[in-house]
Amino acid sequence: MSQNLSDKLYTIRFKCDDVSHLTIKETDVCVDCTTKDCNFFCPADVYDWDPSQKITTVAYENCIECGTCRIACPAYNIEWVYPQGGYGMSYKLG
Ligand code: SF4
Ligand code: SF4
């Protein structure tokens, strides 16, 4: 991640829920996925393929709610909803 992006991410605040708002629908689909696009398109590095467990790990705490993963997984294998009320992102202006 570039320093510039890291600096910008530092300006936003998270209130983290105990329950993930991001779900991998079918773990088998990820096993068969040859491109692992989610490991690259997420600006907050939420998704990471774990080859030893053969699962896509989801660091939902880091999500900045950009919405990309709703449409960018080629198999539409990610369930994305907004965090429940009171949790998630708040952006600072300026
Ligand atoms: S891009 Fe989609 S199908 Fe492929 S590993 Fe990520 S979540 Fe799974
Ligand atoms: S909504 Fe954006 S930041 Fe959150 S997990 Fe999806 S791609 Fe990553």
Side-chain angles (χ1 to χ4, degrees), residues 1 5 9 22-25 29-30 33-49 56-59 62-80:
M1 188 180 301
L5 180 56
L9 289 174
L22 305 164
T23 308
I24 300 293
K25 295 178 188 170
V29 172
C30 293
C33 175
T34 56
T35 51
K36 307 287 190 281
D37 302 46
C38 60
N39 288 216
F40 306 102
F41 62 61
C42 175
D45 290 335
V46 166
Y47 302 99
D48 191 34
W49 174 250
T56 298
T57 60
V58 182
N62 296 339
C63 175
I64 58 171
E65 299 168 28
C66 73
T68 303
C69 55
R70 297 181 85 167
I71 56 171
C73 168
Y76 298 103
N77 197 32
I78 299 171
E79 177 85 32
W80 186 99

